[in-house]
Amino acid sequence: MHHDHHASRPGRRRILAGLAAAGVALALVATASAAAASTEAAGLKPLAGKIIGIDPGHNGLNWTDPSFLDRQVWNGREWENCDTTGTQTAGGYTEARFNWNVATYLRADLIRLGARVVLTRTSNHGVGPCVNTRARILDRARANVSIDIHADGGPPGGRGFTILEPVADGPNDRVIGSSLRLARDVHAAVLRYTKMPISDYYGHNGYITRNDLAGLNLTTMPKVLIECGNMRNAADAALLGRPAVQRSIAAALTAAIIRFLAGR
Ligand SMILES: [Zn+2]
């Protein structure tokens, strides 16, 4: 899959590289946080009364229980494994840890803005739950909107983030249109507030539809899954492991959720 994703962005990428070199990467986070902080200072809680679901993919001890991971669960279209261990960087930094860290930053941002937050796991030192259970936890919580947080294990030469979108299959029929709108909000916010580039190896222009994932097949609220970058790529891995980048991704997801719920 080869697409020219970068035609419109070389200038921006050069600027970002320069900023990073100057140690100003945090300014990007500050931009998103400043918007949220000024809202907060004005006494406004734009997410008051909202329930937000966060599914940080995998779990830190999944690797200890292969038979649990091999359990077959119904994903809304077919049987699949309960879950996997997730991927990791060449240096051994795990996707489960990355997903959990971003989720933790995101939860804090959302709570500060008045939301109630539901997570599908409570720590990064457990096993499970299975992917169908994760979907059910968020469905039962009646979340207004949800995000599945992952990072990919792609070919080492490929970089960037991809937004995975649901395909209508029955349970999710009523939230396809809204999920596609959420996908656009997440895509725009990640480009605006983080240093992650659009994927150059997966999907098209940072988007791909998937009909084989429980989290997307079984959802009854607007939901997308974001592969924040490619942990098997050295440049992406260097970014994904940094707390400042993780915070910027959380800030971008917060901005996207606020925008999505504002309805435009
Ligand atoms: Zn994953």
Side-chain angles (χ1 to χ4, degrees), residues 68-103:
F68 178 78
L69 299 183
D70 286 346
R71 278 178 45 185
Q72 294 298 292
V73 301
W74 182 250
N75 74 11
R77 194 181 296 269
E78 60 195 353
W79 293 94
E80 69 167 325
N81 285 0
C82 156
D83 203 349
T84 67
T85 60
T87 187
Q88 58 183 305
T89 70
Y93 186 74
T94 67
E95 183 202 348
R97 166 54 62 189
F98 167 82
N99 297 339
W100 177 251
N101 286 1
V102 173

PDB file of all heavy atoms in Angstrom, residues 68-103:
ATOM      1  N   PHE A  68      -5.052 -18.057  28.023  1.00  0.00           N
ATOM      2  CA  PHE A  68      -6.125 -17.069  28.149  1.00  0.00           C
ATOM      3  C   PHE A  68      -6.265 -16.288  26.841  1.00  0.00           C
ATOM      4  O   PHE A  68      -7.367 -16.076  26.335  1.00  0.00           O
ATOM      5  CB  PHE A  68      -5.840 -16.120  29.310  1.00  0.00           C
ATOM      6  CG  PHE A  68      -6.876 -15.041  29.480  1.00  0.00           C
ATOM      7  CD1 PHE A  68      -8.094 -15.308  30.075  1.00  0.00           C
ATOM      8  CD2 PHE A  68      -6.627 -13.743  29.023  1.00  0.00           C
ATOM      9  CE1 PHE A  68      -9.057 -14.311  30.215  1.00  0.00           C
ATOM     10  CE2 PHE A  68      -7.582 -12.747  29.167  1.00  0.00           C
ATOM     11  CZ  PHE A  68      -8.799 -13.036  29.757  1.00  0.00           C
ATOM     12  N   LEU A  69      -5.148 -15.876  26.281  1.00  0.00           N
ATOM     13  CA  LEU A  69      -5.184 -15.097  25.041  1.00  0.00           C
ATOM     14  C   LEU A  69      -5.749 -15.914  23.880  1.00  0.00           C
ATOM     15  O   LEU A  69      -6.346 -15.357  22.961  1.00  0.00           O
ATOM     16  CB  LEU A  69      -3.775 -14.602  24.672  1.00  0.00           C
ATOM     17  CG  LEU A  69      -3.098 -13.678  25.687  1.00  0.00           C
ATOM     18  CD1 LEU A  69      -1.748 -13.221  25.158  1.00  0.00           C
ATOM     19  CD2 LEU A  69      -3.977 -12.476  26.012  1.00  0.00           C
ATOM     20  N   ASP A  70      -5.552 -17.234  23.918  1.00  0.00           N
ATOM     21  CA  ASP A  70      -6.009 -18.095  22.823  1.00  0.00           C
ATOM     22  C   ASP A  70      -7.491 -18.438  22.913  1.00  0.00           C
ATOM     23  O   ASP A  70      -8.046 -19.026  21.985  1.00  0.00           O
ATOM     24  CB  ASP A  70      -5.192 -19.398  22.807  1.00  0.00           C
ATOM     25  CG  ASP A  70      -3.789 -19.169  22.269  1.00  0.00           C
ATOM     26  OD1 ASP A  70      -3.548 -18.099  21.683  1.00  0.00           O
ATOM     27  OD2 ASP A  70      -2.923 -20.054  22.456  1.00  0.00           O
ATOM     28  N   ARG A  71      -8.124 -18.111  24.034  1.00  0.00           N
ATOM     29  CA  ARG A  71      -9.579 -18.348  24.139  1.00  0.00           C
ATOM     30  C   ARG A  71     -10.276 -17.679  22.966  1.00  0.00           C
ATOM     31  O   ARG A  71      -9.974 -16.551  22.609  1.00  0.00           O
ATOM     32  CB  ARG A  71     -10.123 -17.735  25.431  1.00  0.00           C
ATOM     33  CG  ARG A  71      -9.930 -18.584  26.646  1.00  0.00           C
ATOM     34  CD  ARG A  71     -10.449 -17.863  27.884  1.00  0.00           C
ATOM     35  NE  ARG A  71     -11.763 -17.223  27.681  1.00  0.00           N
ATOM     36  CZ  ARG A  71     -12.368 -16.469  28.580  1.00  0.00           C
ATOM     37  NH1 ARG A  71     -11.798 -16.234  29.742  1.00  0.00           N
ATOM     38  NH2 ARG A  71     -13.556 -15.935  28.333  1.00  0.00           N
ATOM     39  N   GLN A  72     -11.245 -18.389  22.392  1.00  0.00           N
ATOM     40  CA  GLN A  72     -11.961 -17.829  21.248  1.00  0.00           C
ATOM     41  C   GLN A  72     -13.168 -17.021  21.712  1.00  0.00           C
ATOM     42  O   GLN A  72     -13.953 -17.493  22.542  1.00  0.00           O
ATOM     43  CB  GLN A  72     -12.399 -18.965  20.306  1.00  0.00           C
ATOM     44  CG  GLN A  72     -11.218 -19.670  19.652  1.00  0.00           C
ATOM     45  CD  GLN A  72     -10.404 -18.729  18.767  1.00  0.00           C
ATOM     46  OE1 GLN A  72     -10.864 -18.266  17.737  1.00  0.00           O
ATOM     47  NE2 GLN A  72      -9.179 -18.422  19.200  1.00  0.00           N
ATOM     48  N   VAL A  73     -13.275 -15.804  21.196  1.00  0.00           N
ATOM     49  CA  VAL A  73     -14.408 -14.937  21.530  1.00  0.00           C
ATOM     50  C   VAL A  73     -15.070 -14.466  20.238  1.00  0.00           C
ATOM     51  O   VAL A  73     -14.426 -14.399  19.189  1.00  0.00           O
ATOM     52  CB  VAL A  73     -13.957 -13.715  22.378  1.00  0.00           C
ATOM     53  CG1 VAL A  73     -13.293 -14.183  23.681  1.00  0.00           C
ATOM     54  CG2 VAL A  73     -13.015 -12.819  21.597  1.00  0.00           C
ATOM     55  N   TRP A  74     -16.350 -14.170  20.306  1.00  0.00           N
ATOM     56  CA  TRP A  74     -17.117 -13.714  19.142  1.00  0.00           C
ATOM     57  C   TRP A  74     -16.941 -12.208  19.003  1.00  0.00           C
ATOM     58  O   TRP A  74     -17.217 -11.462  19.947  1.00  0.00           O
ATOM     59  CB  TRP A  74     -18.591 -14.085  19.313  1.00  0.00           C
ATOM     60  CG  TRP A  74     -19.440 -13.706  18.149  1.00  0.00           C
ATOM     61  CD1 TRP A  74     -20.383 -12.730  18.096  1.00  0.00           C
ATOM     62  CD2 TRP A  74     -19.445 -14.327  16.860  1.00  0.00           C
ATOM     63  NE1 TRP A  74     -20.972 -12.693  16.854  1.00  0.00           N
ATOM     64  CE2 TRP A  74     -20.407 -13.660  16.070  1.00  0.00           C
ATOM     65  CE3 TRP A  74     -18.710 -15.385  16.280  1.00  0.00           C
ATOM     66  CZ2 TRP A  74     -20.670 -14.008  14.735  1.00  0.00           C
ATOM     67  CZ3 TRP A  74     -18.981 -15.722  14.959  1.00  0.00           C
ATOM     68  CH2 TRP A  74     -19.945 -15.044  14.205  1.00  0.00           C
ATOM     69  N   ASN A  75     -16.468 -11.784  17.840  1.00  0.00           N
ATOM     70  CA  ASN A  75     -16.177 -10.352  17.687  1.00  0.00           C
ATOM     71  C   ASN A  75     -17.274  -9.611  16.930  1.00  0.00           C
ATOM     72  O   ASN A  75     -17.085  -8.473  16.516  1.00  0.00           O
ATOM     73  CB  ASN A  75     -14.810 -10.132  17.035  1.00  0.00           C
ATOM     74  CG  ASN A  75     -14.805 -10.442  15.543  1.00  0.00           C
ATOM     75  OD1 ASN A  75     -15.856 -10.641  14.918  1.00  0.00           O
ATOM     76  ND2 ASN A  75     -13.633 -10.472  14.946  1.00  0.00           N
ATOM     77  N   GLY A  76     -18.423 -10.282  16.784  1.00  0.00           N
ATOM     78  CA  GLY A  76     -19.535  -9.647  16.095  1.00  0.00           C
ATOM     79  C   GLY A  76     -19.662 -10.118  14.659  1.00  0.00           C
ATOM     80  O   GLY A  76     -20.712  -9.977  14.033  1.00  0.00           O
ATOM     81  N   ARG A  77     -18.587 -10.693  14.126  1.00  0.00           N
ATOM     82  CA  ARG A  77     -18.597 -11.177  12.750  1.00  0.00           C
ATOM     83  C   ARG A  77     -17.962 -12.571  12.630  1.00  0.00           C
ATOM     84  O   ARG A  77     -18.289 -13.326  11.742  1.00  0.00           O
ATOM     85  CB  ARG A  77     -17.837 -10.208  11.849  1.00  0.00           C
ATOM     86  CG  ARG A  77     -18.041 -10.390  10.376  1.00  0.00           C
ATOM     87  CD  ARG A  77     -17.228  -9.389   9.571  1.00  0.00           C
ATOM     88  NE  ARG A  77     -17.640  -8.011   9.806  1.00  0.00           N
ATOM     89  CZ  ARG A  77     -18.564  -7.379   9.078  1.00  0.00           C
ATOM     90  NH1 ARG A  77     -19.150  -7.982   8.080  1.00  0.00           N
ATOM     91  NH2 ARG A  77     -18.880  -6.127   9.368  1.00  0.00           N
ATOM     92  N   GLU A  78     -17.022 -12.838  13.552  1.00  0.00           N
ATOM     93  CA  GLU A  78     -16.328 -14.138  13.509  1.00  0.00           C
ATOM     94  C   GLU A  78     -15.683 -14.401  14.870  1.00  0.00           C
ATOM     95  O   GLU A  78     -15.648 -13.524  15.737  1.00  0.00           O
ATOM     96  CB  GLU A  78     -15.249 -14.123  12.413  1.00  0.00           C
ATOM     97  CG  GLU A  78     -14.207 -13.041  12.657  1.00  0.00           C
ATOM     98  CD  GLU A  78     -13.342 -12.742  11.433  1.00  0.00           C
ATOM     99  OE1 GLU A  78     -13.455 -13.464  10.438  1.00  0.00           O
ATOM    100  OE2 GLU A  78     -12.561 -11.780  11.506  1.00  0.00           O
ATOM    101  N   TRP A  79     -15.172 -15.624  15.027  1.00  0.00           N
ATOM    102  CA  TRP A  79     -14.445 -15.975  16.246  1.00  0.00           C
ATOM    103  C   TRP A  79     -13.007 -15.511  16.112  1.00  0.00           C
ATOM    104  O   TRP A  79     -12.418 -15.602  15.041  1.00  0.00           O
ATOM    105  CB  TRP A  79     -14.506 -17.486  16.481  1.00  0.00           C
ATOM    106  CG  TRP A  79     -15.897 -17.947  16.788  1.00  0.00           C
ATOM    107  CD1 TRP A  79     -16.814 -18.423  15.894  1.00  0.00           C
ATOM    108  CD2 TRP A  79     -16.533 -17.939  18.060  1.00  0.00           C
ATOM    109  NE1 TRP A  79     -17.994 -18.711  16.533  1.00  0.00           N
ATOM    110  CE2 TRP A  79     -17.857 -18.428  17.873  1.00  0.00           C
ATOM    111  CE3 TRP A  79     -16.137 -17.562  19.348  1.00  0.00           C
ATOM    112  CZ2 TRP A  79     -18.760 -18.543  18.934  1.00  0.00           C
ATOM    113  CZ3 TRP A  79     -17.047 -17.697  20.398  1.00  0.00           C
ATOM    114  CH2 TRP A  79     -18.341 -18.175  20.184  1.00  0.00           C
ATOM    115  N   GLU A  80     -12.461 -15.017  17.185  1.00  0.00           N
ATOM    116  CA  GLU A  80     -11.056 -14.622  17.168  1.00  0.00           C
ATOM    117  C   GLU A  80     -10.461 -14.824  18.553  1.00  0.00           C
ATOM    118  O   GLU A  80     -11.160 -15.096  19.520  1.00  0.00           O
ATOM    119  CB  GLU A  80     -10.884 -13.165  16.735  1.00  0.00           C
ATOM    120  CG  GLU A  80     -11.401 -12.147  17.745  1.00  0.00           C
ATOM    121  CD  GLU A  80     -10.929 -10.728  17.434  1.00  0.00           C
ATOM    122  OE1 GLU A  80      -9.798 -10.580  16.957  1.00  0.00           O
ATOM    123  OE2 GLU A  80     -11.694  -9.788  17.694  1.00  0.00           O
ATOM    124  N   ASN A  81      -9.148 -14.651  18.666  1.00  0.00           N
ATOM    125  CA  ASN A  81      -8.492 -14.789  19.963  1.00  0.00           C
ATOM    126  C   ASN A  81      -8.970 -13.697  20.911  1.00  0.00           C
ATOM    127  O   ASN A  81      -9.292 -12.585  20.492  1.00  0.00           O
ATOM    128  CB  ASN A  81      -6.983 -14.688  19.806  1.00  0.00           C
ATOM    129  CG  ASN A  81      -6.385 -15.951  19.197  1.00  0.00           C
ATOM    130  OD1 ASN A  81      -7.106 -16.904  18.890  1.00  0.00           O
ATOM    131  ND2 ASN A  81      -5.084 -15.957  19.009  1.00  0.00           N
ATOM    132  N   CYS A  82      -8.978 -14.046  22.197  1.00  0.00           N
ATOM    133  CA  CYS A  82      -9.359 -13.117  23.276  1.00  0.00           C
ATOM    134  C   CYS A  82      -8.593 -11.815  23.170  1.00  0.00           C
ATOM    135  O   CYS A  82      -9.152 -10.724  23.331  1.00  0.00           O
ATOM    136  CB  CYS A  82      -9.087 -13.797  24.601  1.00  0.00           C
ATOM    137  SG  CYS A  82      -8.825 -12.724  26.020  1.00  0.00           S
ATOM    138  N   ASP A  83      -7.306 -11.889  22.917  1.00  0.00           N
ATOM    139  CA  ASP A  83      -6.447 -10.705  22.787  1.00  0.00           C
ATOM    140  C   ASP A  83      -5.064 -11.202  22.378  1.00  0.00           C
ATOM    141  O   ASP A  83      -4.873 -12.409  22.154  1.00  0.00           O
ATOM    142  CB  ASP A  83      -6.372  -9.920  24.105  1.00  0.00           C
ATOM    143  CG  ASP A  83      -5.978  -8.450  23.898  1.00  0.00           C
ATOM    144  OD1 ASP A  83      -5.552  -8.086  22.771  1.00  0.00           O
ATOM    145  OD2 ASP A  83      -6.095  -7.661  24.846  1.00  0.00           O
ATOM    146  N   THR A  84      -4.114 -10.272  22.286  1.00  0.00           N
ATOM    147  CA  THR A  84      -2.718 -10.627  22.035  1.00  0.00           C
ATOM    148  C   THR A  84      -1.864  -9.924  23.084  1.00  0.00           C
ATOM    149  O   THR A  84      -2.389  -9.170  23.919  1.00  0.00           O
ATOM    150  CB  THR A  84      -2.255 -10.165  20.633  1.00  0.00           C
ATOM    151  OG1 THR A  84      -2.224  -8.738  20.605  1.00  0.00           O
ATOM    152  CG2 THR A  84      -3.185 -10.682  19.551  1.00  0.00           C
ATOM    153  N   THR A  85      -0.569 -10.138  23.002  1.00  0.00           N
ATOM    154  CA  THR A  85       0.318  -9.432  23.930  1.00  0.00           C
ATOM    155  C   THR A  85       0.482  -7.978  23.529  1.00  0.00           C
ATOM    156  O   THR A  85       0.883  -7.147  24.341  1.00  0.00           O
ATOM    157  CB  THR A  85       1.720 -10.068  23.924  1.00  0.00           C
ATOM    158  OG1 THR A  85       2.248  -9.982  22.595  1.00  0.00           O
ATOM    159  CG2 THR A  85       1.656 -11.524  24.343  1.00  0.00           C
ATOM    160  N   GLY A  86       0.178  -7.644  22.249  1.00  0.00           N
ATOM    161  CA  GLY A  86       0.561  -6.337  21.722  1.00  0.00           C
ATOM    162  C   GLY A  86       2.000  -6.386  21.246  1.00  0.00           C
ATOM    163  O   GLY A  86       2.712  -7.385  21.450  1.00  0.00           O
ATOM    164  N   THR A  87       2.434  -5.286  20.633  1.00  0.00           N
ATOM    165  CA  THR A  87       3.780  -5.246  20.081  1.00  0.00           C
ATOM    166  C   THR A  87       4.724  -4.551  21.062  1.00  0.00           C
ATOM    167  O   THR A  87       4.348  -4.239  22.204  1.00  0.00           O
ATOM    168  CB  THR A  87       3.766  -4.539  18.705  1.00  0.00           C
ATOM    169  OG1 THR A  87       5.051  -4.656  18.106  1.00  0.00           O
ATOM    170  CG2 THR A  87       3.395  -3.080  18.842  1.00  0.00           C
ATOM    171  N   GLN A  88       5.952  -4.327  20.637  1.00  0.00           N
ATOM    172  CA  GLN A  88       6.900  -3.547  21.442  1.00  0.00           C
ATOM    173  C   GLN A  88       7.987  -2.983  20.546  1.00  0.00           C
ATOM    174  O   GLN A  88       8.165  -3.423  19.417  1.00  0.00           O
ATOM    175  CB  GLN A  88       7.503  -4.393  22.557  1.00  0.00           C
ATOM    176  CG  GLN A  88       8.234  -5.631  22.084  1.00  0.00           C
ATOM    177  CD  GLN A  88       8.743  -6.451  23.266  1.00  0.00           C
ATOM    178  OE1 GLN A  88       9.454  -5.960  24.127  1.00  0.00           O
ATOM    179  NE2 GLN A  88       8.368  -7.715  23.304  1.00  0.00           N
ATOM    180  N   THR A  89       8.693  -1.998  21.066  1.00  0.00           N
ATOM    181  CA  THR A  89       9.784  -1.414  20.294  1.00  0.00           C
ATOM    182  C   THR A  89      10.979  -2.361  20.305  1.00  0.00           C
ATOM    183  O   THR A  89      11.039  -3.305  21.115  1.00  0.00           O
ATOM    184  CB  THR A  89      10.243  -0.065  20.889  1.00  0.00           C
ATOM    185  OG1 THR A  89      10.894  -0.321  22.136  1.00  0.00           O
ATOM    186  CG2 THR A  89       9.073   0.882  21.097  1.00  0.00           C
ATOM    187  N   ALA A  90      11.948  -2.092  19.431  1.00  0.00           N
ATOM    188  CA  ALA A  90      13.174  -2.896  19.412  1.00  0.00           C
ATOM    189  C   ALA A  90      13.866  -2.852  20.764  1.00  0.00           C
ATOM    190  O   ALA A  90      14.561  -3.796  21.157  1.00  0.00           O
ATOM    191  CB  ALA A  90      14.111  -2.403  18.309  1.00  0.00           C
ATOM    192  N   GLY A  91      13.677  -1.758  21.500  1.00  0.00           N
ATOM    193  CA  GLY A  91      14.293  -1.615  22.817  1.00  0.00           C
ATOM    194  C   GLY A  91      13.499  -2.262  23.938  1.00  0.00           C
ATOM    195  O   GLY A  91      13.910  -2.204  25.099  1.00  0.00           O
ATOM    196  N   GLY A  92      12.351  -2.861  23.611  1.00  0.00           N
ATOM    197  CA  GLY A  92      11.587  -3.580  24.618  1.00  0.00           C
ATOM    198  C   GLY A  92      10.525  -2.756  25.328  1.00  0.00           C
ATOM    199  O   GLY A  92       9.929  -3.221  26.305  1.00  0.00           O
ATOM    200  N   TYR A  93      10.261  -1.550  24.842  1.00  0.00           N
ATOM    201  CA  TYR A  93       9.173  -0.739  25.417  1.00  0.00           C
ATOM    202  C   TYR A  93       7.856  -1.268  24.856  1.00  0.00           C
ATOM    203  O   TYR A  93       7.653  -1.312  23.638  1.00  0.00           O
ATOM    204  CB  TYR A  93       9.369   0.729  25.054  1.00  0.00           C
ATOM    205  CG  TYR A  93       8.385   1.666  25.704  1.00  0.00           C
ATOM    206  CD1 TYR A  93       8.489   1.982  27.054  1.00  0.00           C
ATOM    207  CD2 TYR A  93       7.362   2.228  24.969  1.00  0.00           C
ATOM    208  CE1 TYR A  93       7.586   2.842  27.651  1.00  0.00           C
ATOM    209  CE2 TYR A  93       6.453   3.091  25.551  1.00  0.00           C
ATOM    210  CZ  TYR A  93       6.565   3.391  26.894  1.00  0.00           C
ATOM    211  OH  TYR A  93       5.660   4.237  27.480  1.00  0.00           O
ATOM    212  N   THR A  94       6.951  -1.671  25.739  1.00  0.00           N
ATOM    213  CA  THR A  94       5.779  -2.405  25.262  1.00  0.00           C
ATOM    214  C   THR A  94       4.634  -1.483  24.843  1.00  0.00           C
ATOM    215  O   THR A  94       4.442  -0.396  25.407  1.00  0.00           O
ATOM    216  CB  THR A  94       5.232  -3.367  26.339  1.00  0.00           C
ATOM    217  OG1 THR A  94       4.705  -2.600  27.430  1.00  0.00           O
ATOM    218  CG2 THR A  94       6.319  -4.311  26.821  1.00  0.00           C
ATOM    219  N   GLU A  95       3.878  -1.981  23.879  1.00  0.00           N
ATOM    220  CA  GLU A  95       2.677  -1.274  23.455  1.00  0.00           C
ATOM    221  C   GLU A  95       1.684  -1.167  24.606  1.00  0.00           C
ATOM    222  O   GLU A  95       1.037  -0.121  24.767  1.00  0.00           O
ATOM    223  CB  GLU A  95       2.030  -2.007  22.268  1.00  0.00           C
ATOM    224  CG  GLU A  95       0.806  -1.277  21.743  1.00  0.00           C
ATOM    225  CD  GLU A  95      -0.151  -2.153  20.980  1.00  0.00           C
ATOM    226  OE1 GLU A  95       0.216  -3.295  20.644  1.00  0.00           O
ATOM    227  OE2 GLU A  95      -1.279  -1.691  20.725  1.00  0.00           O
ATOM    228  N   ALA A  96       1.566  -2.241  25.410  1.00  0.00           N
ATOM    229  CA  ALA A  96       0.615  -2.208  26.527  1.00  0.00           C
ATOM    230  C   ALA A  96       0.921  -1.034  27.467  1.00  0.00           C
ATOM    231  O   ALA A  96       0.016  -0.334  27.924  1.00  0.00           O
ATOM    232  CB  ALA A  96       0.664  -3.529  27.294  1.00  0.00           C
ATOM    233  N   ARG A  97       2.216  -0.805  27.740  1.00  0.00           N
ATOM    234  CA  ARG A  97       2.632   0.299  28.601  1.00  0.00           C
ATOM    235  C   ARG A  97       2.305   1.647  27.943  1.00  0.00           C
ATOM    236  O   ARG A  97       1.780   2.560  28.579  1.00  0.00           O
ATOM    237  CB  ARG A  97       4.135   0.186  28.893  1.00  0.00           C
ATOM    238  CG  ARG A  97       4.796   1.419  29.483  1.00  0.00           C
ATOM    239  CD  ARG A  97       4.138   1.951  30.737  1.00  0.00           C
ATOM    240  NE  ARG A  97       4.153   0.998  31.847  1.00  0.00           N
ATOM    241  CZ  ARG A  97       3.478   1.190  32.994  1.00  0.00           C
ATOM    242  NH1 ARG A  97       2.750   2.287  33.178  1.00  0.00           N
ATOM    243  NH2 ARG A  97       3.527   0.281  33.943  1.00  0.00           N
ATOM    244  N   PHE A  98       2.650   1.756  26.660  1.00  0.00           N
ATOM    245  CA  PHE A  98       2.354   2.990  25.926  1.00  0.00           C
ATOM    246  C   PHE A  98       0.853   3.287  25.963  1.00  0.00           C
ATOM    247  O   PHE A  98       0.439   4.416  26.294  1.00  0.00           O
ATOM    248  CB  PHE A  98       2.827   2.855  24.470  1.00  0.00           C
ATOM    249  CG  PHE A  98       2.301   3.937  23.589  1.00  0.00           C
ATOM    250  CD1 PHE A  98       2.914   5.185  23.544  1.00  0.00           C
ATOM    251  CD2 PHE A  98       1.157   3.729  22.816  1.00  0.00           C
ATOM    252  CE1 PHE A  98       2.400   6.206  22.753  1.00  0.00           C
ATOM    253  CE2 PHE A  98       0.637   4.739  22.022  1.00  0.00           C
ATOM    254  CZ  PHE A  98       1.264   5.978  21.992  1.00  0.00           C
ATOM    255  N   ASN A  99       0.040   2.277  25.634  1.00  0.00           N
ATOM    256  CA  ASN A  99      -1.407   2.484  25.598  1.00  0.00           C
ATOM    257  C   ASN A  99      -1.917   2.946  26.960  1.00  0.00           C
ATOM    258  O   ASN A  99      -2.764   3.837  27.057  1.00  0.00           O
ATOM    259  CB  ASN A  99      -2.121   1.182  25.207  1.00  0.00           C
ATOM    260  CG  ASN A  99      -1.756   0.695  23.812  1.00  0.00           C
ATOM    261  OD1 ASN A  99      -1.286   1.463  22.977  1.00  0.00           O
ATOM    262  ND2 ASN A  99      -1.966  -0.594  23.564  1.00  0.00           N
ATOM    263  N   TRP A 100      -1.386   2.310  28.013  1.00  0.00           N
ATOM    264  CA  TRP A 100      -1.825   2.635  29.368  1.00  0.00           C
ATOM    265  C   TRP A 100      -1.426   4.058  29.739  1.00  0.00           C
ATOM    266  O   TRP A 100      -2.198   4.816  30.342  1.00  0.00           O
ATOM    267  CB  TRP A 100      -1.260   1.623  30.366  1.00  0.00           C
ATOM    268  CG  TRP A 100      -1.628   1.960  31.765  1.00  0.00           C
ATOM    269  CD1 TRP A 100      -0.820   2.422  32.753  1.00  0.00           C
ATOM    270  CD2 TRP A 100      -2.951   1.892  32.322  1.00  0.00           C
ATOM    271  NE1 TRP A 100      -1.543   2.657  33.904  1.00  0.00           N
ATOM    272  CE2 TRP A 100      -2.849   2.338  33.664  1.00  0.00           C
ATOM    273  CE3 TRP A 100      -4.200   1.522  31.822  1.00  0.00           C
ATOM    274  CZ2 TRP A 100      -3.963   2.407  34.505  1.00  0.00           C
ATOM    275  CZ3 TRP A 100      -5.306   1.597  32.657  1.00  0.00           C
ATOM    276  CH2 TRP A 100      -5.181   2.034  33.986  1.00  0.00           C
ATOM    277  N   ASN A 101      -0.206   4.443  29.387  1.00  0.00           N
ATOM    278  CA  ASN A 101       0.250   5.797  29.721  1.00  0.00           C
ATOM    279  C   ASN A 101      -0.607   6.855  29.033  1.00  0.00           C
ATOM    280  O   ASN A 101      -1.029   7.833  29.659  1.00  0.00           O
ATOM    281  CB  ASN A 101       1.712   5.981  29.315  1.00  0.00           C
ATOM    282  CG  ASN A 101       2.666   5.256  30.246  1.00  0.00           C
ATOM    283  OD1 ASN A 101       2.235   4.599  31.191  1.00  0.00           O
ATOM    284  ND2 ASN A 101       3.945   5.378  29.976  1.00  0.00           N
ATOM    285  N   VAL A 102      -0.865   6.679  27.742  1.00  0.00           N
ATOM    286  CA  VAL A 102      -1.693   7.657  27.024  1.00  0.00           C
ATOM    287  C   VAL A 102      -3.093   7.699  27.643  1.00  0.00           C
ATOM    288  O   VAL A 102      -3.661   8.781  27.850  1.00  0.00           O
ATOM    289  CB  VAL A 102      -1.770   7.322  25.518  1.00  0.00           C
ATOM    290  CG1 VAL A 102      -2.773   8.231  24.807  1.00  0.00           C
ATOM    291  CG2 VAL A 102      -0.390   7.451  24.876  1.00  0.00           C
ATOM    292  N   ALA A 103      -3.622   6.534  27.971  1.00  0.00           N
ATOM    293  CA  ALA A 103      -4.966   6.479  28.564  1.00  0.00           C
ATOM    294  C   ALA A 103      -5.000   7.218  29.898  1.00  0.00           C
ATOM    295  O   ALA A 103      -5.982   7.900  30.220  1.00  0.00           O
ATOM    296  CB  ALA A 103      -5.394   5.024  28.747  1.00  0.00           C
TER     297      ALA A 103
END
